[in-house]
Amino acid sequence: MILVLVALACVSSGCRKQEARERQELEFTVCAETELPDDLRQIIEEKKLHAFQMSYTTKDHLYIVVGYGEHDRTNLCVVVEELYKTDRAIYIKTDLKTEAEMKGEITGAASGTEPDMAAGQTGTSSMYPYIVIRLPRLELPVLNAS
């Protein structure tokens, strides 16, 4: 009986180590708006009013875009908290933070589009924070990390 329990413990711990090896952190580039393909820039412009997540593929690159919709503040940044892949998918976790919360923080951040001044509404501005991450082209689905 004890031998069976020891064997089960060894097998189950071996499975956990294998799962951990499958997770691979990804190096990425946070792209400025000027570095984006024209088609992607247009899609972001159309979607930026509401929260969204999408991926866009070119011949050489995979772009992952996470947008947080319209906000009435101008000091917000999108932060990449996790970005990794397994043999089944790419996982991303982002968060929206203020610039004050960002001091010395995380691996990649972008503030999104410049604030828009509404016509006739002096002193009122909106921001559409989003981040665009560029990776080498990978043929995997992109999912939210939990």
Side-chain angles (χ1 to χ4, degrees):
M1 181 73 166
I2 293 175
L3 185 58
V4 171
L5 290 175
V6 171
L8 285 174
C10 291
V11 170
S12 65
S13 66
C15 291
R16 285 188 201 131
K17 288 180 183 176
Q18 185 178 6
E19 287 174 16
R21 275 187 255 140
E22 290 179 8
R23 178 178 166 152
Q24 178 185 354
E25 300 295 321
L26 294 172
E27 292 187 26
F28 60 91
T29 302
V30 176
C31 294
E33 189 174 350
T34 56
E35 299 174 301
L36 302 179
D38 291 337
D39 291 345
L40 179 55
R41 195 177 6 235
Q42 180 62 36
I43 293 167
I44 293 169
E45 188 64 29
E46 292 169 5
K47 291 181 174 274
K48 74 179 185 180
L49 290 174
H50 305 284
F52 70 98
Q53 180 175 325
M54 63 170 283
S55 59
Y56 180 89
T57 306
T58 64
K59 183 178 104 178
D60 297 321
H61 296 100
L62 168 65
Y63 295 87
I64 301 171
V65 186
V66 180
Y68 281 82
E70 183 176 16
H71 288 268
D72 61 356
R73 300 175 65 168
T74 59
N75 64 341
L76 298 173
C77 297
V78 180
V79 178
V80 176
E81 294 190 336
E82 290 185 275
L83 181 63
Y84 62 92
K85 75 172 188 161
T86 66
D87 58 344
R88 296 179 183 216
I90 298 168
Y91 294 89
I92 185 167
K93 182 177 181 183
T94 62
D95 195 12
L96 190 60
K97 296 190 177 193
T98 65
E99 290 174 3
E101 294 173 315
M102 289 285 302
K103 294 179 185 173
E105 182 103 17
I106 307 299
T107 53
S111 59
T113 60
E114 293 295 318
D116 290 335
M117 294 301 284
Q121 295 183 354
T122 308
T124 304
S125 61
S126 293
M127 179 178 208
Y128 307 93
Y130 68 88
I131 191 165
V132 180
I133 297 162
R134 183 178 63 216
L135 302 164
R137 185 177 176 141
L138 297 168
E139 299 294 333
L140 292 169
V142 179
L143 304 172
N144 284 323
S146 30

